[in-house]
Amino acid sequence: MNQDDRMHYEIFFSLYKFIREGMEIPPSIRNHCGFADEYRMFEVLKKMDQELYEQKKRSGEVPDIDTAYAKLITSVEKSFESICIEPPIPYLVRLCNEMKDLKELATAPKGIDGQPLHFFIKYGIEWNRPEDVIRKQAEAAFGKLYERFVRLTGGRSQADAFMRELKVERPAPSETTPRRKPHITVRPKPKGRKMGL
């Protein structure tokens, strides 16, 4: 294995382990991929005392930890997908499950309370807006994620076959199922915060 191949493998492995398990990404790889500042901010927020975090967030000194995580995971996924020739099956399953969640939000979001806040931020969904706005945002997010999935799997036929296997379907444009008003229960973050991946 030459030096370039070894570096490629190290980047692939580090990004994938962060996505799957939240494992630390070495500083050299953070710098190489261009998200060192985002990573540093998330680590600072994650380790910060809860009371201090709430105080600094209220004063605007630090961003919300969910927003910081959503920004970081988006950057990590983008870097990971840019070097991925064949994405691992668990990664594709993860994207499929997120598409399924977006579809539910676009139709009848009964599980809206069960979604972590960073999920909505990551996909640009304003959970406190009227339901027609949430529906449109979820549909748009689903479409963008589906296009990513098509690119990663090598075409629409492969993407659709994979999604059928996991019982994930693209929402029809005419789907306008009446839904209850979405509600999110805000839970306080524990002192030792860990983001659910």
Side-chain angles (χ1 to χ4, degrees):
M1 184 182 289
N2 63 39
Q3 189 173 354
D4 288 343
D5 289 340
R6 187 163 49 251
M7 182 62 175
H8 184 277
Y9 175 79
E10 287 174 6
I11 294 171
F12 176 91
F13 181 78
S14 294
L15 298 183
Y16 187 52
K17 293 296 275 185
F18 177 83
I19 291 168
R20 292 274 292 165
E21 301 168 24
M23 288 186 66
E24 182 180 357
I25 300 174
S28 60
I29 294 177
R30 301 175 211 165
N31 290 325
H32 178 82
C33 294
F35 52 72
D37 291 340
E38 295 165 24
Y39 190 97
R40 190 181 307 111
M41 175 55 71
F42 175 65
E43 286 297 302
V44 167
L45 296 175
K46 191 170 65 169
K47 295 171 184 174
M48 193 177 288
D49 174 78
Q50 179 68 23
E51 288 184 16
L52 180 61
Y53 162 74
E54 294 293 347
Q55 179 185 339
K56 285 181 173 288
K57 187 177 75 166
R58 280 194 299 271
S59 67
E61 292 179 63
V62 299
D64 176 78
I65 191 171
D66 291 292
T67 302
Y69 178 71
K71 187 175 179 181
L72 174 60
I73 194 63
T74 299
S75 296
V76 172
E77 287 181 357
K78 184 176 180 180
S79 296
F80 178 71
E81 291 175 14
S82 73
I83 64 167
C84 239
I85 298 171
E86 279 189 43
I89 295 298
Y91 185 75
L92 296 177
V93 171
R94 181 175 180 271
L95 295 184
C96 268
N97 287 333
E98 292 190 357
M99 280 191 279
K100 189 182 293 186
D101 292 339
L102 290 170
K103 180 187 177 185
E104 288 175 3
L105 284 175
T107 53
K110 295 177 183 177
I112 194 169
D113 290 336
Q115 289 294 342
L117 186 56
H118 68 258
F119 175 83
F120 297 97
I121 298 168
K122 177 183 177 183
Y123 288 109
I125 297 169
E126 300 166 283
W127 61 92
N128 54 356
R129 296 290 300 279
E131 58 182 50
D132 60 324
V133 174
I134 295 173
R135 183 186 302 114
K136 287 177 183 176
Q137 290 175 340
E139 286 174 354
F142 183 101
K144 289 177 183 176
L145 183 54
Y146 177 77
E147 292 305 319
R148 268 175 66 193
F149 194 77
V150 166
R151 179 174 50 78
L152 289 170
T153 51
R156 294 186 186 280
S157 58
Q158 291 95 319
D160 289 340
F162 196 96
M163 291 170 71
R164 275 195 302 275
E165 190 173 324
L166 293 177
K167 297 181 172 54
V168 179
E169 298 174 358
R170 298 191 70 185
S174 61
E175 281 185 345
T176 54
T177 308
R179 335 187 262 112
R180 66 177 178 82
K181 188 171 183 177
H183 172 73
I184 292 181
T185 302
V186 178
R187 301 174 185 86
K189 300 178 182 70
K191 282 192 177 180
R193 290 183 301 276
K194 279 193 176 180
M195 304 306 297
L197 297 178

